[in-house]
Amino acid sequence: MGIPTYDQLMLPLLKLAGARIASDFPTAERLLGDEFNLTPEERATRLPSGQQTALRNRTGWASFYLMKAGLLIKPKRGYFEITQRGRDVLESPPASIDKAFLANFAEFREFLTGAAVEPSANADSGLGSSTPDHATPDEALQGAYQQLRSELASQVLERLLQVSPEFFEQLVVELLVVMGYGGSRRDAGERIGRSGDGGIDGIIKEDRLGLDVIYIQAKRWQATVGRPEIQKFVGALHGQRARKGVFMTTSAFSADARDYVSHIDVKVVLLDGIQIANLMIDHGVGVTPVATYVVKRLDSDYFDEV
């Protein structure tokens, strides 16, 4: 069934607290994983940020909402306990607990709206219909970011396919310089596209001191780049006694091409259109910031009294 959503975890978590089987999050996470028969891979699955497992994040948000409804309390950092209200709920437990169920409690409605709201007969259905998404706030935020980034990468790639081959070569220079190669924009610009020697479009410094150089092939293509094109590039590298090269294209590489570069002596990196677009986003080339959101968390150490 996959990793349970945070609302699917709320009732099992409350039951663990009620039976005093678990009072800390690592134990709760392990037992919930057992209850839902999660595989080791599912237990290890992390959020897009990579900072936390999805199960730990969802367990944390499940406990957070239960606390806001007064069913659990947090006696100290990393621990939780059931309240009398929580025990009352378990006396006649519902089939499941979600935000709609928690809306029966005034504290939770106040938390959601920022002001006290009188209970209503349809509070259950109203809240349920307005919150269909079962993602935690962390997952919703990171998911929205990933979607926006994916859409932006598609837009960047679309524009790359429209520019001239000369503009694409200069863009490649700009990107590599911003990434730390080439020493300076002027130095790199003088080297790129100058040799025209047997399938090499340019040469750029690997580092600011010029201790080594990287040979570049930049192709603004729409057709898939196959093994023959890569072999020509590698042949050109051998002709220059070069050890490193980067083949960059707005299209994609065939599986045969990628397999070929994994079995040769020289180091050749293949960057397709999507990879180039994402590098441009990462390094601010051809894109501009629209808004910045800073997500903060409580600094528990700050409040520790010595």
Side-chain angles (χ1 to χ4, degrees):
M1 65 174 292
I3 306 172
T5 60
Y6 75 88
D7 47 354
Q8 291 174 327
L9 291 171
M10 285 198 273
L11 181 58
L13 181 62
L14 187 65
K15 288 181 177 179
L16 288 178
R20 295 183 178 178
I21 297 175
S23 60
D24 63 275
F25 289 106
T27 302
E29 181 182 358
R30 175 176 56 80
L31 294 175
L32 290 170
D34 294 342
E35 181 170 344
F36 285 90
N37 297 314
L38 299 185
T39 65
E41 292 75 17
E42 289 171 330
R43 296 173 193 246
T45 299
R46 290 185 171 271
L47 299 179
S49 66
Q51 295 182 351
Q52 193 178 45
T53 65
L55 182 58
R56 174 65 60 88
N57 180 263
R58 295 176 188 182
T59 301
W61 279 104
S63 69
F64 175 79
Y65 287 129
L66 290 172
M67 290 175 189
K68 288 299 180 181
L71 306 185
L72 291 180
I73 59 172
K74 186 176 182 179
K76 59 181 178 178
R77 184 181 181 183
Y79 288 82
F80 57 89
E81 290 180 0
I82 193 169
T83 64
Q84 185 56 50
R85 177 181 289 176
R87 296 188 183 281
D88 293 341
V89 168
L90 292 181
E91 286 293 326
S92 300
S96 63
I97 294 179
D98 54 18
K99 284 185 176 180
F101 176 83
L102 297 181
N104 289 298
F105 305 104
E107 295 92 335
F108 191 76
R109 294 195 302 276
E110 186 174 350
F111 157 70
L112 289 179
T113 63
V117 179
E118 290 299 320
S120 62
N122 62 355
D124 225 31
S125 59
L127 184 62
S129 62
S130 64
T131 55
D133 194 352
H134 297 292
T136 69
D138 288 322
E139 292 172 321
L141 180 61
Q142 293 179 33
Y145 170 78
Q146 292 296 331
Q147 182 179 355
L148 289 171
R149 182 186 171 99
S150 178
E151 292 174 356
L152 177 58
S154 297
Q155 294 172 2
V156 170
L157 180 55
E158 183 179 349
R159 289 303 300 270
L160 288 178
L161 291 169
Q162 296 172 0
V163 302
S164 67
E166 294 76 18
F167 184 92
F168 181 62
E169 288 185 359
Q170 293 304 314
L171 183 149
V172 165
V173 174
E174 186 72 30
L175 177 59
L176 291 173
V177 170
V178 172
M179 291 174 63
Y181 299 99
S184 69
R185 176 66 176 81
R186 178 180 177 183
D187 184 31
E190 290 175 347
R191 291 175 176 270
I192 192 77
R194 202 177 76 178
S195 63
D197 185 7
I200 293 176
D201 286 334
I203 305 170
I204 195 167
K205 294 177 183 177
E206 184 177 17
D207 52 67
R208 295 182 179 276
L209 296 178
L211 296 175
D212 204 349
V213 295
I214 298 174
Y215 289 73
I216 302 167
Q217 181 74 280
K219 295 297 185 185
R220 189 194 60 78
W221 282 9
Q222 293 193 20
T224 299
V225 178
R227 175 169 175 165
E229 288 298 324
I230 307 303
Q231 286 178 313
K232 291 179 184 178
F233 181 52
V234 172
L237 293 178
H238 285 308
Q240 297 292 326
R241 296 184 179 180
R243 299 177 299 170
K244 300 174 183 177
V246 180
F247 197 118
M248 306 173 74
T249 180
T250 51
S251 61
F253 297 96
S254 68
D256 195 29
R258 292 193 178 277
D259 180 68
Y260 171 68
V261 299
S262 68
H263 293 91
I264 57 178
D265 294 333
V266 296
K267 178 65 175 179
V268 175
V269 175
L270 305 181
L271 293 178
D272 61 27
I274 287 295
Q275 289 174 305
I276 295 171
N278 279 296
L279 286 172
M280 291 174 63
I281 294 171
D282 288 339
H283 296 279
V285 176
V287 297
T288 185
V290 176
T292 301
Y293 302 93
V294 179
V295 179
K296 299 183 179 182
R297 65 179 179 182
L298 181 69
D299 183 358
S300 300
D301 294 336
Y302 176 84
F303 294 95
D304 288 343
E305 298 186 32
V306 179

